[in-house]
Short mmCIF file of all heavy atoms in Angstrom, two decimals:
data_model
loop_
_atom_site.label_atom_id
_atom_site.label_comp_id
_atom_site.label_asym_id
_atom_site.label_seq_id
_atom_site.Cartn_x
_atom_site.Cartn_y
_atom_site.Cartn_z
N HIS A 1 -19.26 -26.06 -2.58
CA HIS A 1 -20.20 -27.22 -2.14
C HIS A 1 -19.95 -28.47 -2.96
O HIS A 1 -20.03 -28.31 -4.24
CB HIS A 1 -21.59 -26.76 -2.19
CG HIS A 1 -21.84 -25.56 -1.22
ND1 HIS A 1 -22.18 -25.86 0.11
CD2 HIS A 1 -22.03 -24.22 -1.32
CE1 HIS A 1 -22.37 -24.80 0.80
NE2 HIS A 1 -22.21 -23.73 -0.09
N VAL A 2 -19.70 -29.51 -2.45
CA VAL A 2 -19.37 -30.81 -3.04
C VAL A 2 -20.30 -31.91 -2.39
O VAL A 2 -20.18 -32.23 -1.25
CB VAL A 2 -17.98 -31.22 -3.09
CG1 VAL A 2 -17.81 -32.58 -3.68
CG2 VAL A 2 -17.00 -30.26 -3.69
N HIS A 3 -21.32 -32.35 -3.21
CA HIS A 3 -22.24 -33.38 -2.65
C HIS A 3 -22.29 -34.55 -3.70
O HIS A 3 -22.43 -34.25 -4.76
CB HIS A 3 -23.54 -32.86 -2.37
CG HIS A 3 -23.76 -31.88 -1.34
ND1 HIS A 3 -23.82 -32.09 0.00
CD2 HIS A 3 -23.58 -30.49 -1.39
CE1 HIS A 3 -23.86 -31.04 0.72
NE2 HIS A 3 -23.69 -29.97 -0.25
N VAL A 4 -21.97 -35.73 -3.13
CA VAL A 4 -21.75 -36.88 -4.05
C VAL A 4 -23.10 -37.13 -4.82
O VAL A 4 -22.96 -37.54 -5.99
CB VAL A 4 -21.24 -38.09 -3.25
CG1 VAL A 4 -19.90 -37.86 -2.76
CG2 VAL A 4 -22.34 -38.47 -2.20
N ASP A 5 -24.22 -37.03 -4.21
CA ASP A 5 -25.50 -37.18 -4.97
C ASP A 5 -25.73 -36.24 -6.02
O ASP A 5 -26.17 -36.56 -7.08
CB ASP A 5 -26.63 -37.28 -3.95
CG ASP A 5 -26.68 -38.59 -3.16
OD1 ASP A 5 -25.99 -39.47 -3.53
OD2 ASP A 5 -27.36 -38.64 -2.15
N SER A 6 -25.39 -35.01 -5.65
CA SER A 6 -25.68 -33.84 -6.76
C SER A 6 -24.68 -34.15 -7.97
O SER A 6 -25.04 -33.84 -9.15
CB SER A 6 -25.35 -32.58 -6.21
OG SER A 6 -26.26 -32.18 -5.05
N LEU A 7 -23.48 -34.54 -7.62
CA LEU A 7 -22.49 -34.77 -8.78
C LEU A 7 -22.81 -36.20 -9.52
O LEU A 7 -22.30 -36.35 -10.56
CB LEU A 7 -21.08 -34.81 -8.30
CG LEU A 7 -20.59 -33.49 -7.78
CD1 LEU A 7 -19.20 -33.60 -7.23
CD2 LEU A 7 -20.59 -32.55 -8.76
N GLN A 8 -23.66 -36.88 -8.84
CA GLN A 8 -23.97 -38.28 -9.42
C GLN A 8 -22.70 -39.14 -9.76
O GLN A 8 -22.60 -39.72 -10.80
CB GLN A 8 -24.77 -38.19 -10.55
CG GLN A 8 -26.12 -37.45 -10.31
CD GLN A 8 -27.30 -37.55 -11.30
OE1 GLN A 8 -27.41 -38.68 -11.72
NE2 GLN A 8 -28.06 -36.59 -11.60
N VAL A 9 -21.83 -39.23 -8.79
CA VAL A 9 -20.60 -39.99 -8.95
C VAL A 9 -20.69 -41.31 -8.12
O VAL A 9 -21.39 -41.32 -7.13
CB VAL A 9 -19.33 -39.17 -8.76
CG1 VAL A 9 -19.28 -37.91 -9.58
CG2 VAL A 9 -19.44 -38.65 -7.21
N ASP A 10 -19.77 -42.14 -8.57
CA ASP A 10 -19.83 -43.43 -7.83
C ASP A 10 -18.56 -43.48 -6.89
O ASP A 10 -18.51 -44.22 -5.86
CB ASP A 10 -19.70 -44.65 -8.86
CG ASP A 10 -20.82 -44.58 -9.69
OD1 ASP A 10 -22.08 -44.88 -9.16
OD2 ASP A 10 -20.60 -44.28 -10.89
N LEU A 11 -17.57 -42.68 -7.23
CA LEU A 11 -16.27 -42.61 -6.41
C LEU A 11 -15.82 -41.26 -6.45
O LEU A 11 -15.92 -40.50 -7.42
CB LEU A 11 -15.24 -43.63 -7.01
CG LEU A 11 -15.57 -45.04 -7.11
CD1 LEU A 11 -15.51 -45.42 -8.50
CD2 LEU A 11 -14.60 -45.90 -6.36
N LEU A 12 -15.36 -40.80 -5.36
CA LEU A 12 -14.79 -39.42 -5.19
C LEU A 12 -13.65 -39.27 -4.30
O LEU A 12 -13.63 -39.79 -3.19
CB LEU A 12 -15.93 -38.47 -4.64
CG LEU A 12 -15.71 -37.00 -4.64
CD1 LEU A 12 -16.80 -36.08 -5.26
CD2 LEU A 12 -15.50 -36.45 -3.23
N THR A 13 -12.56 -38.52 -4.75
CA THR A 13 -11.25 -38.49 -3.95
C THR A 13 -11.40 -37.21 -3.16
O THR A 13 -11.69 -36.13 -3.65
CB THR A 13 -10.07 -38.41 -4.97
OG1 THR A 13 -10.09 -39.75 -5.62
CG2 THR A 13 -8.90 -37.95 -4.42
N VAL A 14 -10.80 -37.35 -1.85
CA VAL A 14 -10.85 -36.21 -1.00
C VAL A 14 -9.42 -36.13 -0.44
O VAL A 14 -8.70 -37.27 -0.12
CB VAL A 14 -11.75 -36.38 0.26
CG1 VAL A 14 -11.57 -35.11 1.18
CG2 VAL A 14 -13.27 -36.45 -0.25
N VAL A 15 -8.75 -34.94 -0.32
CA VAL A 15 -7.44 -34.81 0.15
C VAL A 15 -7.42 -33.85 1.34
O VAL A 15 -7.94 -32.76 1.39
CB VAL A 15 -6.49 -34.14 -0.88
CG1 VAL A 15 -5.04 -34.00 -0.46
CG2 VAL A 15 -6.67 -35.21 -2.17
N GLY A 16 -6.69 -34.39 2.51
CA GLY A 16 -6.69 -33.55 3.68
C GLY A 16 -5.94 -32.22 3.66
O GLY A 16 -6.40 -31.18 4.10
N HIS A 17 -4.76 -32.24 2.93
CA HIS A 17 -3.93 -31.04 2.99
C HIS A 17 -4.35 -29.89 2.15
O HIS A 17 -3.71 -28.81 1.98
CB HIS A 17 -2.46 -31.41 2.84
CG HIS A 17 -2.01 -31.64 1.36
ND1 HIS A 17 -1.46 -30.65 0.62
CD2 HIS A 17 -2.21 -32.76 0.54
CE1 HIS A 17 -1.17 -31.19 -0.61
NE2 HIS A 17 -1.56 -32.35 -0.58
N LYS A 18 -5.36 -30.15 1.34
CA LYS A 18 -6.05 -29.14 0.59
C LYS A 18 -7.12 -28.40 1.28
O LYS A 18 -7.70 -27.38 0.82
CB LYS A 18 -6.66 -29.60 -0.80
CG LYS A 18 -5.68 -30.55 -1.64
CD LYS A 18 -4.52 -29.64 -2.07
CE LYS A 18 -3.66 -30.58 -3.22
NZ LYS A 18 -2.48 -29.78 -3.77
N MET A 19 -7.42 -28.92 2.53
CA MET A 19 -8.57 -28.38 3.26
C MET A 19 -8.28 -28.18 4.67
O MET A 19 -9.13 -28.40 5.59
CB MET A 19 -9.84 -29.22 3.07
CG MET A 19 -9.59 -30.68 3.34
SD MET A 19 -11.03 -31.68 2.91
CE MET A 19 -12.15 -31.32 4.29
N TYR A 20 -6.98 -27.89 5.01
CA TYR A 20 -6.52 -27.37 6.33
C TYR A 20 -6.37 -28.48 7.29
O TYR A 20 -6.37 -28.22 8.46
CB TYR A 20 -7.46 -26.27 7.02
CG TYR A 20 -7.71 -25.18 5.96
CD1 TYR A 20 -8.84 -25.10 4.99
CD2 TYR A 20 -6.68 -24.08 5.83
CE1 TYR A 20 -9.07 -24.14 4.14
CE2 TYR A 20 -6.87 -23.10 4.79
CZ TYR A 20 -8.18 -23.06 4.07
OH TYR A 20 -8.22 -22.09 3.13
N ALA A 21 -6.18 -29.76 6.67
CA ALA A 21 -5.86 -30.94 7.58
C ALA A 21 -4.26 -31.22 7.26
O ALA A 21 -3.77 -30.67 6.31
CB ALA A 21 -6.69 -32.12 7.30
N PRO A 22 -3.73 -32.17 7.87
CA PRO A 22 -2.25 -32.47 7.63
C PRO A 22 -2.09 -33.21 6.21
O PRO A 22 -3.06 -33.73 5.74
CB PRO A 22 -1.81 -33.39 8.77
CG PRO A 22 -2.88 -33.31 9.80
CD PRO A 22 -4.19 -32.89 9.05
N LYS A 23 -0.83 -33.14 5.77
CA LYS A 23 -0.54 -33.95 4.68
C LYS A 23 -0.46 -35.40 5.05
O LYS A 23 -0.13 -35.68 6.23
CB LYS A 23 0.91 -33.50 4.08
CG LYS A 23 0.82 -32.00 3.59
CD LYS A 23 2.29 -31.67 3.36
CE LYS A 23 2.41 -30.19 3.03
NZ LYS A 23 2.05 -29.34 4.27
N GLY A 24 -0.77 -36.31 4.22
CA GLY A 24 -0.78 -37.70 4.45
C GLY A 24 -2.00 -38.41 4.98
O GLY A 24 -1.97 -39.50 5.46
N VAL A 25 -3.19 -37.76 4.62
CA VAL A 25 -4.34 -38.28 4.91
C VAL A 25 -5.43 -37.78 3.98
O VAL A 25 -5.40 -36.80 3.20
CB VAL A 25 -5.00 -37.86 6.34
CG1 VAL A 25 -5.26 -36.42 6.48
CG2 VAL A 25 -6.16 -38.69 6.66
N GLY A 26 -6.22 -38.72 3.46
CA GLY A 26 -7.26 -38.62 2.46
C GLY A 26 -8.37 -39.45 2.55
O GLY A 26 -8.42 -40.31 3.57
N ALA A 27 -9.20 -39.51 1.58
CA ALA A 27 -10.27 -40.55 1.66
C ALA A 27 -10.85 -40.76 0.22
O ALA A 27 -10.63 -39.88 -0.63
CB ALA A 27 -11.60 -40.01 2.52
N LEU A 28 -11.59 -41.81 0.12
CA LEU A 28 -12.26 -42.14 -1.17
C LEU A 28 -13.68 -42.51 -0.81
O LEU A 28 -13.90 -43.47 -0.10
CB LEU A 28 -11.63 -43.41 -1.84
CG LEU A 28 -12.30 -43.74 -3.17
CD1 LEU A 28 -12.14 -42.73 -4.31
CD2 LEU A 28 -11.65 -45.07 -3.74
N TYR A 29 -14.54 -41.75 -1.40
CA TYR A 29 -15.93 -42.11 -1.22
C TYR A 29 -16.41 -43.32 -2.30
O TYR A 29 -16.03 -43.19 -3.47
CB TYR A 29 -16.93 -40.87 -1.62
CG TYR A 29 -18.25 -41.34 -1.94
CD1 TYR A 29 -19.27 -41.76 -1.00
CD2 TYR A 29 -18.64 -41.37 -3.28
CE1 TYR A 29 -20.57 -42.08 -1.43
CE2 TYR A 29 -20.00 -41.56 -3.77
CZ TYR A 29 -20.95 -41.99 -2.67
OH TYR A 29 -22.19 -42.42 -3.32
N VAL A 30 -17.05 -44.24 -1.81
CA VAL A 30 -17.38 -45.39 -2.68
C VAL A 30 -18.90 -45.64 -2.42
O VAL A 30 -19.38 -46.00 -1.43
CB VAL A 30 -16.56 -46.77 -2.24
CG1 VAL A 30 -17.00 -47.77 -3.25
CG2 VAL A 30 -15.19 -46.46 -2.30
N ARG A 31 -19.54 -45.36 -3.57
CA ARG A 31 -21.04 -45.65 -3.51
C ARG A 31 -21.50 -47.14 -3.25
O ARG A 31 -20.79 -47.96 -3.71
CB ARG A 31 -21.72 -45.29 -4.93
CG ARG A 31 -23.27 -45.13 -4.90
CD ARG A 31 -23.91 -44.76 -6.24
NE ARG A 31 -23.27 -45.54 -7.31
CZ ARG A 31 -23.99 -46.57 -7.74
NH1 ARG A 31 -24.92 -47.14 -7.00
NH2 ARG A 31 -23.40 -47.37 -8.75
#
């Protein structure tokens, strides 16, 4: 379980191919 508020972070990196999506896509959470 990864929740940005629980971790109290301002930016968080997500990667698609580590979670059963294709390589070549990801995201950055920005508070």
Side-chain angles (χ1 to χ4, degrees):
H1 295 279
V2 177
H3 295 276
V4 293
D5 286 342
S6 298
L7 292 178
Q8 300 199 39
V9 295
D10 302 291
L11 304 118
L12 183 132
T13 291
V14 180
V15 180
H17 78 99
K18 307 293 188 181
M19 49 185 288
Y20 309 97
K23 302 168 185 67
V25 66
L28 179 68
Y29 159 76
V30 183
R31 186 176 60 81

